[in-house]
Amino acid sequence: DEKDGKRAANLAAYFSNCKLQTKHSVLVIRTAMKACLDIKNYLTASNFARRLLDLSSSGPMADQAKQVVQFADKNP
């Protein structure tokens, strides 16, 4: 349901502002990024991807975040 997706993205965005350990913040930001992608909010997903890259610049999550940034730049 579209309403549930928006609510999930909203809650994930709020949770991403909590002060957590870095490894937990990475997981929360990744979840928020994916939730925004699910509802086709590419600008916000790109913002979360950039935050994720600030915390973790290598590895599979960073590669996924780079792809999200590239995709969001092409599809605003």
Side-chain angles (χ1 to χ4, degrees), residues 5 33-42:
M33 178 184 72
K34 286 185 172 186
C36 289
L37 282 174
D38 288 344
I39 62 169
K40 295 179 175 54
N41 187 342
Y42 302 129

Side-chain angles (χ1 to χ4, degrees), residues 2-71:
E2 183 180 338
K3 192 173 184 180
D4 290 338
K6 287 181 182 180
R7 182 158 173 79
N10 195 5
L11 291 173
Y14 282 133
F15 193 53
S16 73
N17 290 315
C18 294
K19 295 192 186 310
L20 302 171
Q21 293 178 358
T22 303
K23 61 184 176 183
H24 296 176
S25 291
V26 167
L27 295 174
V28 170
I29 293 170
R30 180 176 172 226
T31 302
M33 178 184 72
K34 286 185 172 186
C36 289
L37 282 174
D38 288 344
I39 62 169
K40 295 179 175 54
N41 187 342
Y42 302 129
L43 180 62
T44 306
S46 176
N47 289 334
F48 284 122
R50 291 177 203 281
R51 283 180 58 190
L52 187 60
L53 288 170
D54 288 342
L55 294 176
S56 175
S57 60
S58 64
M61 278 195 265
D63 293 339
Q64 184 181 31
K66 290 173 187 173
Q67 289 176 347
V68 169
V69 170
Q70 289 174 351
F71 181 79

